[in-house]
């Protein structure tokens, strides 16, 4: 019997939200990569587009402000995605995906703190 593997889904990331009409937004993701479910995103100040929140920089995207709920392929062009943009909401810490520059526990803790500032709480074991 073959083994079936299901890709990550919104249920692996989002554990609670007070009201989807309040917490979710449709945003434009910057072209150049496929964004996995649970991507921790920051908004580029100049364009208003979102990309993976980096650990440094000065374009605005260094501050984590949203979590992507569905995988989006923006490899060839900008694409729309649905995000949790505000809380109260709870996400699974294990389900979050970070930029390659967020590569140690201190940087991850910083990103989780930035999400908490907009009401998105990351928890272990939910």
């Amino acid at each position: 019997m073959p083994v079936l593997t299901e890709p990550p889904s919104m249920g692996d990331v989002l554990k609670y939200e007070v009201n989807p009409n309040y917490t979710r937004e449709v945003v434009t993701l910057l072209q150049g990569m496929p964004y996995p479910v649970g991507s921790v995103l920051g908004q580029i100040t100049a364009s208003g587009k979102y990309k993976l929140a980096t650990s440094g920089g000065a374009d605005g995207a260094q501050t984590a402000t949203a979590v992507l709920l569905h995988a989006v392929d923006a490899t060839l062009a900008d694409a729309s995605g649905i995000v949790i943009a505000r809380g109260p909401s709870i996400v699974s810490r294990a389900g979050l995906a970070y930029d390659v520059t967020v590569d140690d526990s201190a940087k991850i803790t910083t990103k989780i703190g930035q999400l908490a500032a907009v009401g998105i709480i990351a928890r272990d074991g939910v």
Side-chain angles (χ1 to χ4, degrees):
M1 177 184 236
V3 175
L4 301 177
T5 303
E6 183 175 328
S9 69
M10 181 178 71
D12 296 321
V13 176
L14 181 62
K15 299 305 178 182
Y16 171 80
E17 65 184 321
V18 67
N19 181 344
N21 293 322
Y22 176 72
T23 59
R24 297 182 190 188
E25 295 286 339
V26 176
V27 301
T28 301
L29 299 169
L30 186 67
Q31 83 172 54
M33 65 174 293
Y35 292 86
V37 173
S39 292
V40 176
L41 304 171
Q43 186 175 26
I44 301 167
T45 305
S47 67
K49 297 175 184 177
Y50 285 74
K51 69 176 189 176
L52 287 174
T54 57
S55 69
D59 64 357
Q62 68 276 8
T63 303
T65 58
V67 176
L68 188 64
L69 293 179
H70 302 281
V72 175
D73 186 358
T75 304
L76 301 176
D78 292 347
S80 294
I82 300 172
V83 300
I84 292 290
R86 67 189 65 80
S89 41
I90 298 172
V91 294
S92 170
R93 186 177 176 137
L96 298 177
Y98 302 96
D99 183 71
V100 296
T101 61
V102 182
D103 55 3
D104 63 40
S105 62
K107 292 174 184 175
I108 290 171
T109 300
T110 298
K111 294 300 162 211
I112 288 173
Q114 292 167 349
L115 290 174
V118 294
I120 303 169
I121 306 302
R123 294 228 173 119
D124 291 322
V126 289

